[in-house]
Amino acid sequence: KLLNPMATFIPCAAHSLNLVIYDAASSSGETINFFNLIQELYVFFSKSTSRWHVLKKHVKKLNLKPVCETRWESRISAITPLRFQIEEIYDALVEIHLDKTRDSIAQSTAKGLSKQISCFKFLCSLVLWHDILSKINIVSKMMQSPNLNVFECISLHKNIFSFLKSYRTDEKFVEVINEARKMADLLESETNFPHPSQIRIRRKARLFEYESQDDVILDPQQNFKVNFFYFVINVAINSLEERFIQMEKHNDTFGFLYNIFALKNQTKNYIINFCKDLQLYLTDSLDSDIDALELCEEIQNFNVIINKKLTPLEILNCLSMQNMEDIFPNLFIAIRILLTLPVTVASAERSFSKLKIIKNYLRSSMSQERLVGLALISIESEISGSLEYDKLIKEFAEIKARKMNII
């Protein structure tokens, strides 16, 4: 903003969606304890090669994964093995518990973990989180695409918002309970919620007669439904609304440019309202990048001349290749600004993580030129993989050849 007051800030969509998951996962002590248990389970097996060998003997497909706050897919990766192989993981814990050759601490820990993961409340939480994270993980991967635009991002946001709204129903809660009971039957454990052990709260004197005390929910299933099922989804919905407000504002301003052909049959007053909003957005003091009236006429004239649906990038290429920048100057500027709006920076940030792999302690004395070269090869792996190395080596050898032909 200091260099250019009309510069546009857009938060990374992939980061915002990850923060939505973080808000929901850390919203209450119950959710924090749920993911802590999954992490504790992974640590128990991974700390010992013999215990990991027992786990591998029972679990044939998916391995346990750790929970990491900085890795976006860590939560769904950690939950998936438990969701579909909890019976095998439970058997591995029981085997360690019954093995008399192991130390008492490992036996006691395995017994405690087996009881915790077979608890009906944990199974319901597992089904709930897997259903939510499996859908959000797909949207998160799509939002990391460098070709994503604001309009497509808002469409994905609306889809995941609609999913969470539809999931917050009594019917979905019954489905979660039924799925958890199927898992409990496999583990031969209780299929009902245990009565929670609550800490007795000291009663306080009421200062006014109209003050009332909240009724305590005695039914454990209803308590889980209100204080966990609805609570987690509500936090996710509210966070999703708050973190994508800025993106929705940009879509309201620039959205009509993504489908100019759809404005062909609209009235001039309808189009000019969008153009005025865009002009106002791109105005600083008395300076403006575009003129609303001229942009409206250019859009109408462009639809008459081209008369087919084009993407913003195709429109920009069409104007550039046919040298029509001077004919449609306002449309050309608006499309260029639209295409430079950064929706996500995930692919750019991913290149920085490559430096940890490239420059390790064995390459501490590497020069800057070699580091840049290796980083470029690693980042642009698709291009480097398509190169013909034999041809490049031959050309390099010919350039460096010291032998000269004597005539």
Side-chain angles (χ1 to χ4, degrees):
K1 288 291 185 179
L2 295 176
L3 298 177
N4 186 359
M6 288 183 285
T8 301
F9 169 75
I10 298 182
C12 176
H15 282 82
S16 299
L17 187 61
N18 180 58
L19 290 174
V20 170
I21 301 301
Y22 177 81
D23 293 340
S26 59
S27 58
S28 66
E30 295 289 342
T31 56
I32 294 174
N33 292 336
F34 171 77
F35 285 103
N36 285 344
L37 176 58
I38 295 176
Q39 179 67 13
E40 185 180 350
L41 189 66
Y42 169 79
V43 171
F44 174 74
F45 282 107
S46 62
K47 283 181 66 175
S48 172
T49 55
S50 61
R51 294 198 291 262
W52 191 262
H53 177 72
V54 175
L55 177 68
K56 292 289 291 181
K57 184 174 68 174
H58 289 274
V59 178
K60 303 297 183 182
K61 297 179 181 179
L62 300 173
N63 289 330
L64 292 178
K65 301 291 183 181
V67 178
C68 179
E69 293 182 358
T70 57
R71 294 186 64 85
W72 295 350
E73 298 183 23
S74 67
R75 289 187 176 89
I76 183 62
S77 300
I79 288 176
T80 303
L82 283 165
R83 174 66 179 87
F84 298 105
Q85 298 178 138
I86 193 167
E87 184 181 6
E88 291 82 355
I89 297 173
Y90 179 82
D91 292 339
L93 290 171
V94 172
E95 180 178 336
I96 295 174
H97 167 61
L98 298 177
D99 190 356
K100 302 300 182 181
T101 61
R102 299 184 181 274
D103 59 282
S104 58
I105 297 178
Q107 288 181 305
S108 176
T109 305
K111 180 181 178 180
L113 290 174
S114 62
K115 287 183 177 180
Q116 287 179 289
I117 68 171
S118 61
C119 178
F120 188 68
K121 185 177 181 180
F122 175 82
L123 298 178
C124 293
S125 304
L126 187 63
V127 175
L128 168 65
W129 274 108
H130 182 267
D131 289 347
I132 294 176
L133 292 180
S134 60
K135 305 297 186 300
I136 293 181
N137 186 53
I138 297 174
V139 176
S140 177
K141 289 182 177 180
M142 297 175 68
M143 284 188 175
Q144 296 175 36
S145 173
N147 298 323
L148 188 72
N149 57 48
V150 176
F151 181 76
E152 294 171 344
C153 178
I154 292 298
S155 299
L156 294 174
H157 166 259
K158 291 180 179 179
N159 292 338
I160 199 66
F161 186 81
S162 300
F163 163 74
L164 292 175
K165 281 283 190 181
S166 61
Y167 199 87
R168 193 189 178 282
T169 57
D170 294 337
E171 292 78 11
K172 288 294 182 181
F173 179 75
V174 173
E175 292 179 9
V176 170
I177 297 297
N178 293 334
E179 288 295 324
R181 281 176 178 160
K182 293 179 183 178
M183 299 171 65
D185 291 337
L186 295 175
L187 300 177
E188 299 180 356
S189 60
E190 293 290 335
T191 57
N192 295 314
F193 286 92
H195 288 279
S197 56
Q198 296 180 349
I199 301 175
R200 182 180 179 277
I201 302 175
R202 184 175 62 87
R203 293 180 177 272
K204 295 182 180 180
R206 289 182 294 175
L207 300 178
F208 303 97
E209 291 296 331
Y210 59 82
E211 289 185 353
S212 61
Q213 297 178 356
D214 295 335
D215 295 333
V216 179
I217 302 176
L218 299 178
D219 184 16
Q221 179 169 325
Q222 185 67 17
N223 184 34
F224 177 83
K225 180 180 180 180
V226 174
N227 296 325
F228 193 94
F229 182 80
Y230 284 157
F231 184 77
V232 169
I233 298 176
N234 289 340
V235 171
I237 290 174
N238 293 333
S239 180
L240 199 63
E241 288 180 333
E242 293 175 1
R243 296 191 179 278
F244 282 84
I245 290 177
Q246 190 80 12
M247 191 76 68
E248 290 180 350
K249 290 181 179 179
H250 290 302
N251 183 62
D252 294 338
T253 305
F254 293 92
F256 73 102
L257 294 174
Y258 285 105
N259 191 3
I260 292 178
F261 186 73
L263 303 175
K264 182 179 180 180
N265 298 324
Q266 299 294 337
T267 62
K268 186 175 181 179
N269 292 332
Y270 179 83
I271 301 174
I272 203 169
N273 289 330
F274 291 109
C275 297
K276 286 181 178 180
D277 293 338
L278 183 60
Q279 179 185 355
L280 182 62
Y281 184 84
L282 298 176
T283 300
D284 177 57
S285 298
L286 299 177
D287 298 329
S288 179
D289 290 335
I290 62 171
D291 182 85
L293 295 175
E294 294 179 0
L295 177 62
C296 178
E297 293 182 357
E298 291 175 12
I299 291 174
Q300 291 179 319
N301 295 333
F302 184 84
N303 283 328
V304 172
I305 296 173
I306 304 300
N307 197 24
K308 64 178 180 179
K309 184 178 180 181
L310 298 176
T311 63
L313 183 59
E314 291 173 342
I315 294 174
L316 186 66
N317 292 331
C318 177
L319 295 177
S320 299
M321 294 176 64
Q322 299 184 20
N323 298 321
M324 293 191 295
E325 300 95 331
D326 297 332
I327 303 176
F328 302 97
N330 293 276
L331 180 61
F332 186 70
I333 293 173
I335 294 295
R336 281 194 299 166
I337 296 174
L338 174 70
L339 293 175
T340 53
L341 294 177
V343 181
T344 177
V345 296
S347 58
E349 285 193 0
R350 196 175 290 117
S351 62
F352 288 99
S353 61
K354 293 288 185 180
L355 293 177
K356 289 185 178 180
I357 304 174
I358 297 171
K359 190 172 183 179
N360 50 30
Y361 71 98
L362 296 175
R363 295 171 175 169
S364 58
S365 60
M366 189 187 333
S367 63
Q368 181 71 17
E369 183 179 358
R370 184 166 180 247
L371 176 63
V372 172
L374 291 176
L376 186 62
I377 293 174
S378 178
I379 295 169
E380 303 294 345
S381 58
E382 295 182 0
I383 299 176
S384 61
S386 62
L387 298 176
E388 298 181 5
Y389 292 104
D390 294 335
K391 184 178 179 180
L392 293 175
I393 293 172
K394 183 178 179 180
E395 292 179 358
F396 179 79
E398 291 176 353
I399 295 174
K400 293 292 183 178
R402 296 183 180 181
K403 293 182 179 181
M404 298 180 64
N405 296 324
I406 301 175
I407 299 177

